[in-house]
Amino acid sequence: MCVFCKIVAGEIPCFKLFEDEHFIAILDRFPSAPGHALIIPKRHAADLFELNDAEAAGILPLAKRVAEKIRAELSPDGINIVQNNGSAAGQEIFHYHMHVVPRKSGDGIKFHNPPTDPPLDELAAIAEMLKIF
């Protein structure tokens, strides 16, 4: 059983912010910043691709609620909503979870690299490959 499944089952203590029949929101035990929260579906799904449509549809409104509470209580300068899929993307615990991270200007937390400037024909080819409509 993974660490998040153990938290959901009550086998590992946590600082719970929210719970309903589908999700639990907790403080991250090893936060990037004070108030760093995690939103975790109760059903084990390794990543985004294993979530069912109801779980996928439910997580962003909950992230918004958690972010609103963080903003109201902690007055951050900004908030990151971060979700990783696969070890190459930085996923360390293979139970889907979303981070809600309050930010202060100059806090030094990095979630992105400097932008690249690919040729427009390369962007056009990738866009053509990825079109959903």
Side-chain angles (χ1 to χ4, degrees):
M1 185 181 291
C2 81
V3 66
F4 288 164
C5 286
K6 288 179 181 179
I7 289 170
V8 167
E11 296 173 17
I12 296 176
C14 67
F15 294 95
K16 198 178 299 181
L17 308 176
F18 173 86
E19 182 173 18
D20 69 9
E21 64 273 11
H22 303 291
F23 298 102
I24 184 171
I26 64 173
L27 285 181
D28 192 307
R29 176 61 183 84
F30 303 99
S32 298
H36 178 168
L38 301 175
I39 301 170
I40 305 163
K42 288 185 170 182
R43 185 183 70 82
H44 183 87
D47 55 28
L48 175 70
F49 307 104
E50 290 188 8
L51 290 180
N52 63 42
D53 288 347
E55 290 163 334
I59 197 142
L60 194 55
L62 179 53
K64 182 177 185 262
R65 288 179 63 194
V66 170
E68 288 171 339
K69 184 66 171 175
I70 288 170
R71 183 173 66 175
E73 299 298 331
L74 301 178
S75 301
D77 298 325
I79 295 177
N80 284 108
I81 308 287
V82 181
Q83 198 280 308
N84 304 314
N85 294 284
S87 57
Q91 186 177 8
E92 295 176 356
I93 297 174
F94 292 87
H95 182 131
Y96 178 93
H97 57 289
M98 183 175 282
H99 298 259
V100 183
V101 184
R103 302 293 305 276
K104 292 288 186 183
S105 296
D107 63 15
I109 299 170
K110 302 282 186 215
F111 286 112
H112 56 82
N113 293 314
T116 61
D117 188 14
L120 295 180
D121 60 335
E122 181 180 323
L123 289 175
I126 293 170
E128 191 60 36
M129 230 186 331
L130 298 178
K131 279 185 181 174
I132 297 171
F133 53 90

